[in-house]
Amino acid sequence: MPELSYREAVRDALTQAMRRDDDVFVMGEDIAEMGGSMGVTQGMLAEFGPERIRNTPISEIALAGAAVGAAMQGMRPVAEIMYEDFLTIATEQIVNQAAKHRYMSGGQLTVPVVFRTQGGAGWSPGAQHAQQLESWFVHIPGLKVVFASTPEDVRGLLWSSIYDDNPVVFFEHRTLYGLKEEVPEEIEPIPLGRARVHREGEDVTVIATGRLVHEALAAAAEAEKEGVSVEVVDPRTLQPLDENALVSSVKKTNRCVVAHEAVVRGGFGAEVAAVIQYQAFDWLDAPIERVGARFCPMPFAPVMEEWVVPHANDVLEAVYRTVGRGN
Amino acid sequence: MAKVEQRGTLSKSDLRDFYREMLLIRRFEEKVEERFRAGELAGFLHVAIGQEAVAVGVCRALEDGDIIMSTHRAHGHSLAKGTHPNEVMAELYGKAEGCSHGYGGSMHLYDVEHGNMGANAVVGGGLPQVTGAALAFKMRGEPRVAVAFFGDGATNTGAFHEALNMAQLWTVPAVFVLEDNKWAESTPESQHSPLRDLSKRAEAFGMYTVKVDGQDAEAVYKATRKALEHARSGKGPVFMHVDTYRLVGHYIGDPQIYRPKNEVRKLRETKDPLPLLRERLGLSDEEVQELETEVEEIVEASVEFAKSGTDPKPEDALKNVYA
């Protein structure tokens, strides 16, 4: 089994889809010669040329919109939005256009486009390059939303997103690009809407996304030393959401922590908490704990950034609160 | 819809057919106003009275396989692109038989089979998608052109500038049809643009630009043929600056308090495309009456069709969200 980094895994999915299918192409800012701001598309220009590894002007509206228009004509474009903060500029095309053409046409159109983007704290880029905005898009009927946390997942989920006939907003976390793991030789597509249980446990379920999956796994290892058994579940697809997997895990453990890097208020964890309390109310032995960033824009100073976003210890403390051992 | 026999030249019979189509749009729009005022139609309705020659002149010039994207003022474009009046009217009545099956409404008329990729109710919102559709045609080597309709108000949006810049940069086969009716809803051009000549905005991107009198259907047709040929031959996109007039309010019921009272009256006397074409063709009262009768029957039938159509089930609202 080859070992791939998260970055290489994204590249592998793009490359193999483009080899297989002329309708797949990538467009974005600085993706050609430079290979993208995160180096994801490095080397792809040489294989596929500038038509299919298409550099765009700094025009997020037209970049997103042209991808939508091409998708409506049967192409399968992957539009790279360099930083997810810039999704705010492209949002009109994603929310009012991509998400609604199928619906407004009464089912005549499909819009098989992927908006790939990345973000997150860890490198101190400040308030306009480190947000986590995935929950915004979960609120929009017509969009699918993916947030992958491992190399194998990001490859299999991106493949499925490219071949999904709906618009998909695909989130990657910047600090995960260097993460490596062994992956199968052949891409194994991961169906959108299927959660992954990373670690089984008996006492507490942590439902985590993106970087926080790894923080939750670290917290679980610590908790185990104290005799608390933690199950870690990654929904992977935020819309559609694998509610059954999340609810059945909590019915087993009777305790739940939701964890993401985005701010707690209005974050995706709020939706998960609502789903769990409604479907597993009688099984819960403690209030659902929410872990996320503090309610401020992302600060620059590394000491502040570090303090604002959650880490393994924050997850661990939340776990302990659910079993009555918290401070 | 009969195709014009010899492309680029129009016989009297072709132009008579244009007149009939424009008359159909006019009477259709008047009927829409009437039924809206009678309380039968929901939603926001914008009629294209005064702009019929643009819809007909452009759409008649298109080839099969060419696509359009339209605006909130979409009825005329849809009819001219070949959607049956019954289906347009049924959509306005919110019926399953409508061209968007009741999911779209007046501002979201679609007919993919006839090359209508949708009317867009976000001003300028469709323009990047026209660039993208044209890019798809170019990448696949298809001899097709993507055509955008939009108004002067849209030329102030970021989407307009980004879409045109990108289209020219990539020399995609697109035609951007500016229906310059001098009003962005209630805001006159003097209040929304520092330029009196909006084609300069396209020239700034190095785009080939054509100006045409939008009240003259034949001129619009010929200009469109030229634009399509340019775009289809790989020379890149074309900006058509079409000078036209909105002879009604922005929406049905608009009291037009922002507009001098005699402006519309004067424009109707001098700029109405229907009498202009009628005069040019020298149509007799009998010929016009014959066409009026024919068109009226079609419009009345469309109302009957719509009213006897099927209401979607409320829970059908949950269909078509995802493919």
Side-chain angles (χ1 to χ4, degrees), chain A residues 224-235:
Chain A
E224 191 176 23
K225 294 177 193 163
E226 300 296 319
V228 178
S229 170
V230 175
E231 179 147 307
V232 177
V233 184
D234 177 1

Side-chain angles (χ1 to χ4, degrees), chain A residues 25 27 51 54-57 59-63 65-66 68-70 72-75 92-93 97 101-110 141-144 165-166 239, chain B residues 67 69 99-101 103-104 108 110-113 117 120 122 125 128-129 131-133 135-137 139-140 144 158-159 162-163 165-166 169-170 317 319-323:
Chain A
F25 69 104
M27 56 197 291
E51 291 287 307
R54 183 174 286 271
N55 258 350
T56 71
S59 301
E60 282 84 7
I61 303 170
L63 156 56
V68 172
M72 286 160 69
Q73 297 307 318
M75 302 294 279
E92 197 282 304
Q93 291 294 319
Q97 311 289 337
H101 275 306
R102 177 172 189 78
Y103 194 76
M104 296 191 299
S105 69
Q108 293 174 70
L109 283 167
T110 54
L143 297 178
K144 293 189 177 181
D165 279 336
N166 298 286
Q239 173 59 38
Chain B
I67 62 130
M69 290 193 83
C99 60
S100 306
H101 308 301
Y103 289 81
H108 307 298
Y110 289 76
D111 187 346
V112 172
E113 195 188 324
M117 296 298 135
N120 216 297
V122 177
Q129 294 154 54
T131 296
L135 174 64
F137 299 157
M139 288 178 76
R140 291 198 295 239
R144 301 166 68 187
E162 291 192 10
N165 179 59
M166 198 174 264
L169 178 70
W170 294 343
K319 293 180 180 169
N320 298 317
V321 181
Y322 292 98

